[in-house]
Amino acid sequence: QVQLVESGGGLVQAGGSTRLSCAASGRTFSNYAMGWFRQAPGKEREFVATISRSGPSTLYRGSVKGRFTISRDNAKNTVYLQMNSLKPEDTAVYYCAAGPGLFLTTLQNAEYWGQGTQVTVSS
C-alpha cells in the first residue's frame, strides 16, 4: 500500500503561481512513476503531468506545458507540481497518483490516489 497526501493549492489570481506537494508513505516511493491529474466541476478527471521513477523524464498535458513543472525528491518521498502563469481554466481539484511502469498518464494505470487538493484561479 502507498498512502498519498496532497497539500498546497488554494485561491490564486490569474497569472500567479502555486506549488502542490504530495507526500507518500508505505511502499518504496522510488518504485513508482508519479502523476498529477485534475478534475474540474462537471468534467472528467484528466492527466496533467507525470515523472518517471528516478525523476529525469517527464511528460505534460499540452495545455500546461511550459507553465507547470513536475519534480520529485525520492529522499523525501515527495512529488511536486510547480504551477506558473495560472489561468482560470486551471481551476480544478488536483490529485496525485502512483503507478507502475515508466510513466503514469492514464487513470486506469494508477494504483494509488491521494484525496485531492483544490486549486481555484480567479480572473
Side-chain angles (χ1 to χ4, degrees), residues 12-17 85-88 120-123:
V12 185
Q13 285 192 333
S17 299
S85 302
L86 282 161
K87 304 175 181 180
T120 302
V121 184
S122 63
S123 57

Side-chain angles (χ1 to χ4, degrees), residues 37 46 56 70 80:
F37 296 77
E46 63 184 18
I70 187 171
Y80 306 96

Side-chain angles (χ1 to χ4, degrees), residues 1-5 22-32 34 74 76-78 98 111-112:
Q1 283 279 21
V2 175
Q3 292 78 41
L4 302 173
V5 179
C22 174
S25 61
R27 290 191 170 182
T28 305
F29 177 70
S30 58
N31 285 348
Y32 294 89
M34 299 298 297
N74 285 347
K76 295 183 178 179
N77 289 352
T78 302
E111 286 191 0
Y112 304 102

